[in-house]
Amino acid sequence: MDYNIGVDIGGTKIAAGIVQRDGTIIHQVKVPTPKLGREAILQVLKEVIVELTLFANKKSITLGGIGIGTAGQVHVQEAKILSGTSNIRNWGDIHLREEIKAYSELPVYVDNDVNVLTLAEQYFGAAKGYQEVICLALGTGVGGGVLTKGSLIHGTWGGATELGHMSVDMNGELCNCGLPGCLETFASGTWIARRMSKLLTEHGEEHIDVASITGEEVFRFYKEGHPLAKEVVQQMIQGLSIGIINLIHMFNPQIVVLGGGVMANEDWIIYLLQENLKHKGLRALVNGVELKSAELQNESGLIGASIQPWLYSTNKFSIENVQ
Ligand SMILES: [Zn+2]
């Protein structure tokens, strides 16, 4: 089949579309994620899938399957969301395959949002042609995906590679997962803003709106030469460098791809990391590892999600098919 439905379920929007095998979106629907949570989201999901199926029928397009990417922990074999995210209300313990079976005969595949982002970068973005890949998504939190021999590492049921919750400082700030000094506490937008607010308060710089400061503003202050923003950025680079070195030592990758909202149009982060990585870790492993920004921006979740039916159905998807 040359077309799949891809769905990206995020904290603010649900983006869905019919995606061609070369990654082109031929029809797309975007709706805000209902704030009421579970039942309302499942209803919207149904409306979106039915609309896309009707569109395909009208255009005589045969759909191969439905691929979904969502925040939270996903049992990939069962296509079930085990535990969700604080960004989406009641988004846990949902057997998505069973829910969708009630109104669609198409096979359903579900994975977490960063794993599908990793697939999108592998087939159509910065990691195209690479087999050994680490992908870090720096956003509200920090998520990760790892490809080895070209396939995602899923672990027992799909929970593997929560790279944001790798501790890089045993004396660090307490993360909401219960560990001190997680990578997320250095490199997520939330924590970059939180560290800046704390420093501003400590230094009595309360003329800046401390409570509502965002990660983007911290980067703006940094570019303007603000010393406290410089301190926050140094901590971010230090945490990220240690995290990336740990991952390189662990997985011996060819490339590390950095994506997510924090990285959008911020290529200077790549440059600072490259400089930092020159002096850390085992040379044989670290030298030669490429560090790149993710190439696909807005639609990577939806495109990555749509790859799953091609990958996991018997009609094996390969890089050759898309070149
Ligand atoms: Zn954590």
Side-chain angles (χ1 to χ4, degrees):
M1 303 291 174
D2 286 317
Y3 300 90
N4 288 329
I5 288 178
V7 187
D8 175 24
I9 304 175
T12 52
K13 68 169 180 5
I14 296 173
I18 297 174
V19 184
Q20 206 167 281
R21 199 178 270 259
D22 65 359
T24 311
I25 302 169
I26 60 162
H27 184 60
Q28 193 177 351
V29 185
K30 254 186 217 172
V31 280
T33 307
K35 295 289 166 229
L36 292 170
R38 186 191 174 103
E39 293 310 318
I41 296 171
L42 290 174
Q43 181 58 33
V44 165
L45 186 64
K46 179 180 173 178
E47 286 164 11
V48 161
I49 289 173
V50 168
E51 182 186 333
L52 292 173
T53 308
L54 288 173
F55 178 90
N57 289 346
K58 216 164 68 186
K59 301 275 178 189
S60 303
I61 288 169
T62 308
L63 294 167
I66 300 169
I68 298 174
T70 171
Q73 278 75 50
V74 178
H75 192 305
V76 288
Q77 291 91 352
E78 292 183 6
K80 183 179 177 182
I81 301 162
L82 298 182
S83 56
T85 152
S86 53
N87 293 333
I88 311 178
R89 203 170 158 198
N90 296 334
W91 199 236
D93 193 25
I94 303 172
H95 205 305
L96 269 184
R97 185 175 286 148
E98 291 301 314
E99 295 283 343
I100 294 169
K101 218 190 214 170
Y103 54 86
S104 176
E105 290 175 350
L106 292 170
V108 175
Y109 301 89
V110 186
D111 207 332
N112 86 49
D113 48 1
V114 184
N115 279 346
V116 305
L117 181 110
T118 306
L119 292 179
E121 290 296 325
Q122 178 192 20
Y123 286 97
F124 308 116
K128 194 169 174 179
Y130 294 83
Q131 297 287 301
E132 306 294 327
V133 179
I134 310 272
C135 188
L136 283 169
L138 317 181
T140 317
V142 172
V146 176
L147 296 164
T148 183
K149 295 189 170 66
S151 297
L152 282 169
I153 295 180
H154 275 125
T156 305
W157 46 260
T161 68
E162 280 286 0
L163 308 183
H165 295 290
M166 164 182 53
S167 178
V168 292
D169 179 4
M170 66 185 277
N171 300 309
E173 303 264 10
L174 194 64
C175 178
N176 57 14
C177 78
L179 278 182
C182 281
L183 181 57
E184 182 162 307
T185 69
F186 288 89
S188 67
T190 313
W191 275 91
I192 290 166
R194 196 178 295 181
R195 282 174 183 273
M196 185 70 182
S197 304
K198 198 174 159 201
L199 283 177
L200 286 168
T201 308
E202 282 169 11
H203 286 77
E205 291 214 36
E206 276 139 344
H207 56 279
I208 296 169
D209 188 1
V210 171
S212 65
I213 201 157
T214 63
E216 291 90 41
E217 283 168 326
V218 177
F219 289 168
R220 185 165 54 77
F221 283 129
Y222 169 73
K223 288 169 197 162
E224 289 167 2
H226 196 294
L228 298 180
K230 195 173 170 198
E231 194 175 328
V232 173
V233 166
Q234 277 169 346
Q235 287 171 339
M236 174 188 82
I237 295 294
Q238 180 73 359
L240 265 174
S241 301
I242 294 173
I244 290 170
I245 295 287
N246 283 338
L247 294 169
I248 291 173
H249 287 169
M250 216 179 292
F251 295 109
N252 186 202
Q254 298 165 288
I255 182 170
V256 177
V257 178
L258 296 174
V262 170
M263 289 300 299
N265 307 313
E266 306 289 1
D267 277 345
W268 55 272
I269 296 175
I270 297 281
Y271 174 74
L272 288 182
L273 284 171
Q274 279 166 338
E275 285 301 303
N276 224 279
L277 296 186
K278 283 181 186 163
H279 314 290
K280 288 193 176 79
L282 300 171
R283 287 297 95 206
L285 279 132
V286 180
N287 285 351
V289 176
E290 286 185 57
L291 201 58
K292 279 194 195 171
S293 291
E295 284 177 8
L296 304 172
Q297 296 290 337
N298 296 333
E299 317 304 346
S300 57
L302 141 61
I303 293 169
S306 78
I307 294 171
Q308 297 175 88
W310 284 308
L311 267 184
Y312 305 126
S313 67
T314 49
N315 184 11
K316 185 82 178 157
F317 194 49
S318 71
I319 291 170
E320 286 73 35
N321 285 343
V322 300
Q323 284 176 337

